[in-house]
Amino acid sequence: MSFSSFKNITPLTFYFASVVCFVLANLTRDNSLSFYYVLLVLGLGFFFMGILKRLRTKR
């Protein structure tokens, strides 16, 4: 998998992925605390990737 495929992803896709991660993290909080934290970090990562992508495409 090459990094050039990330150039075609829209910022909205990253935001949607972060929302999905946050919802799944909230659903799995009681069952598995480690999976909860992994999903939280993934959600934050997708959110900031969406912000960076948005800033780079605005220029």
Side-chain angles (χ1 to χ4, degrees):
M1 183 169 157
S2 65
F3 290 109
S4 63
S5 62
F6 285 118
K7 293 180 182 179
N8 299 331
I9 300 176
T10 62
L12 189 63
T13 307
F14 285 120
Y15 296 143
F16 181 71
S18 70
V19 168
V20 168
C21 283
F22 289 140
V23 168
L24 287 176
N26 204 10
L27 291 175
T28 61
R29 180 178 43 194
D30 294 333
N31 296 337
S32 174
L33 201 58
S34 61
F35 195 59
Y36 167 73
Y37 287 121
V38 168
L39 284 173
L40 276 182
V41 170
L42 271 176
L44 283 174
F46 282 136
F47 180 74
F48 285 118
M49 285 170 65
I51 289 176
L52 288 175
K53 178 78 172 176
R54 176 103 180 183
L55 291 175
R56 288 182 184 157
T57 56
K58 285 280 186 174
R59 293 181 184 174

